[in-house]
Amino acid sequence: MDAPPAYLAFDAATRRLRLDPHEPAFVQDPYPAYRWMQAKARCVFWEDFGLWCLAGYDDVNRLFRDKRFGRERPGGYRAAVAATGERRHLADFDAVEAGSLLELEPPAHTRLRTLVNRAFVSRQVERLRPKVEALAHRLIDGFGNSGRAEAIRDFATPLPAAVIAEMMGLPTASGLQLVAWSNDMVRMYMHKPGPAEEHQANASARAFADFIRRHAAEKRKSPGDDLLSLLTAAAEDGQKLTEDELVSSAILLLNAGHEATVHQTGNAVRTILAQGGDPGRFFETPEATAATVEECLRFDAPLHMFTRYVYQEAEIAEGVVLRPGEQVGLLLGAANRDPLVFAEPDAFRPGRPDQKNVSFGAGIHFCIGAPLARLELQIALKTLFDRLPDLRLAETPAYSDIYHFHGLRRLDVAFGPGSVTR
């Protein structure tokens, strides 16, 4: 691959890359750009983000585990954001982020993760299987017999939202409101959010925090066997969890409990339909279903960049030395298709022997919700294609301009009239 995609400019002498992440061609298919990086420069300075980025699997996987790098901003979240300029209009958003498990390192990270981890271990998550299966069937029943549905709105979004709301001990009917608040907040992680997005993110963070505080107060009076009751009891202790940490942890779990799964479900349906033939071949056994989900996670992941702060001077590539306080971008979407690691990386091959995607991260920040996400994806995809084996695209789906997330705007599907009836 000699010529880069037309929308990409690269200076080989300085390894500086110019690539607008909002470029439509990149939004719809980022993989040609990743292929070019891996062939020409696996470590680049992405000018649009202002940081060095790694595109190779081994580099990404290694840096996830390297303790010289981490998620917590040097000096702490509040001090760091105060130094970035005027942020009073983001006070509520910053209050939530400051106590987020995702933004902390040990010992605070260890303390918070230990509290919530037991709810997400595989044996606990497996107990949810009957409920998730029943919910998947109800959502498909709701498609009706018109022969068409919008699968992001009608299936991919409500399923994980309802599951995580129930795990938290919140009304399942509140799921779509939680999704709306979450969508507003995560826009702050995208490339250059504007003033309107910032104000909306702050308003939603405030409403979300108030919602959690109200329900936490109810859990103190009448605790149950749910995650919010667990977090509330820990906050009562005082040594384990503060009230602010309670709010931040609950919001993080609710956001992370559905956001990526929605994108991955839509991406996976699109990918499977693109293979042609009988989709049932991918779900003939539990082992085949699990392998299909893993390949979907590798082939078209829902998160394409994750960042780390530098804590100690480190050389991340030959001649590229980063100093404390700088950031580095890990390109998960590229790493998952590294030709040095995966045979035929651009081919969809469930059960491949070289399956080891980094879509859930690695190291101490490995996604705590990975067992739940895998369960939901396995059930959702198998149920969908078992019920609607003639499912097909009604319109060509388009990806949303939400980098570094990667998911479809909508997914219009068609199926035989009357297929939904059980």
Side-chain angles (χ1 to χ4, degrees):
M1 176 181 274
D2 295 320
Y7 52 79
L8 180 159
F10 181 68
D11 184 330
T14 61
R15 286 188 264 192
R16 297 181 78 87
L17 172 77
R18 292 194 303 279
L19 168 57
D20 182 357
H22 303 290
E23 162 61 42
F26 179 75
V27 169
Q28 297 308 316
D29 185 5
Y31 299 107
Y34 295 155
R35 282 196 296 274
W36 187 87
M37 288 184 213
Q38 288 166 338
K40 299 297 182 180
R42 289 172 163 251
C43 180
V44 300
F45 186 83
W46 195 338
E47 291 186 351
D48 302 79
F49 286 97
L51 47 77
W52 287 93
C53 293
L54 296 169
Y57 178 93
D58 288 339
D59 288 334
V60 168
N61 189 42
R62 170 180 52 79
L63 200 140
F64 265 135
R65 305 167 190 273
D66 192 327
K67 294 182 179 179
R68 294 175 298 173
F69 305 85
R71 284 291 301 172
E72 188 168 354
R73 300 173 188 236
Y77 184 93
R78 292 185 186 278
V81 298
T84 63
E86 178 55 59
R87 286 181 67 95
R88 278 182 294 183
H89 66 297
L90 288 170
D92 294 296
F93 177 84
D94 287 340
V96 170
E97 290 292 288
S100 171
L101 177 67
L102 185 63
E103 306 298 336
L104 297 172
E105 291 294 314
H109 174 271
T110 306
R111 177 170 56 87
L112 294 176
R113 185 166 179 126
T114 300
L115 278 173
V116 300
N117 190 58
R118 66 188 186 194
F120 288 93
V121 295
S122 297
R123 64 181 178 276
Q124 289 293 103
V125 167
E126 184 61 31
R127 294 168 55 188
L128 297 171
R129 182 176 293 275
K131 291 184 178 180
V132 178
E133 288 178 342
L135 176 58
H137 280 293
R138 285 201 304 273
L139 291 171
I140 296 170
D141 290 343
F143 289 0
N145 289 311
S146 67
R148 292 182 67 105
E150 201 283 276
I152 300 296
R153 179 195 63 208
D154 300 334
F155 188 69
T157 298
L159 191 147
V163 171
I164 192 63
E166 181 168 329
M167 287 182 70
M168 292 294 295
L170 298 169
T172 55
S174 67
L176 294 182
Q177 176 61 75
L178 304 180
V179 168
W181 286 331
S182 174
N183 288 342
D184 291 339
M185 292 180 69
V186 299
R187 288 191 182 96
M188 289 295 294
Y189 306 133
M190 299 171 197
H191 184 250
K192 294 184 178 179
E197 287 85 4
E198 290 184 343
H199 284 285
Q200 187 59 55
N202 194 67
S204 291
R206 180 171 59 251
F208 212 155
D210 289 344
F211 176 87
I212 295 299
R213 292 182 197 279
R214 288 198 307 274
H215 282 277
E218 294 174 6
K219 298 296 182 184
R220 289 188 181 94
K221 298 175 184 176
S222 180
D225 183 21
D226 57 72
L227 260 174
L228 188 55
S229 292
L230 172 68
L231 296 176
T232 302
E236 290 284 280
D237 185 316
Q239 296 300 310
K240 296 180 179 178
L241 201 66
T242 68
E243 178 76 5
D244 287 344
E245 287 173 338
L246 165 96
V247 171
S248 294
S249 297
I251 289 177
L252 172 64
L253 292 171
L254 287 160
N255 287 357
H258 82 274
E259 189 78 32
T261 307
V262 172
H263 296 322
Q264 185 62 78
T265 303
N267 295 358
V269 172
R270 178 186 185 276
T271 295
I272 290 167
L273 290 177
Q275 307 311 306
D278 179 10
R281 70 188 186 278
F282 296 116
F283 306 97
E284 291 177 340
T285 66
E287 294 76 18
T289 298
T292 296
V293 166
E294 291 307 301
E295 181 67 344
C296 287
L297 285 161
R298 183 199 70 85
F299 187 80
D300 202 20
L303 178 65
H304 277 212
M305 180 195 285
F306 218 57
T307 57
R308 288 288 189 270
Y309 286 96
V310 182
Y311 297 149
Q312 299 176 32
E313 185 173 296
E315 185 173 29
I316 62 169
E318 184 177 357
V320 180
V321 177
L322 299 187
R323 292 172 174 77
E326 294 185 290
Q327 277 187 290
V328 58
L330 309 181
L331 301 182
L332 280 63
N336 280 339
R337 294 214 192 179
D338 188 341
L340 297 184
V341 174
F342 300 100
E344 297 182 87
D346 296 324
F348 183 73
R349 290 174 45 193
R352 60 169 57 241
D354 52 6
Q355 180 60 264
K356 48 185 177 181
N357 66 77
V358 289
S359 297
F360 290 119
I364 66 168
H365 284 286
F366 180 81
C367 177
I368 199 170
L372 176 62
R374 285 183 164 118
L375 180 85
E376 291 174 337
L377 288 163
Q378 289 169 15
I379 292 171
L381 294 173
K382 177 173 172 53
T383 304
L384 184 67
F385 287 109
D386 279 354
R387 291 281 305 275
L388 302 173
D390 63 344
L391 193 74
R392 59 194 181 276
L393 296 178
E395 296 179 15
T396 301
Y399 289 93
S400 297
D401 180 8
I402 52 174
Y403 198 86
H404 44 85
F405 294 100
H406 180 66
L408 299 172
R409 283 201 294 265
R410 55 186 293 132
L411 182 59
D412 293 285
V413 293
F415 45 88
S419 302
V420 168
T421 303
R422 281 194 281 176

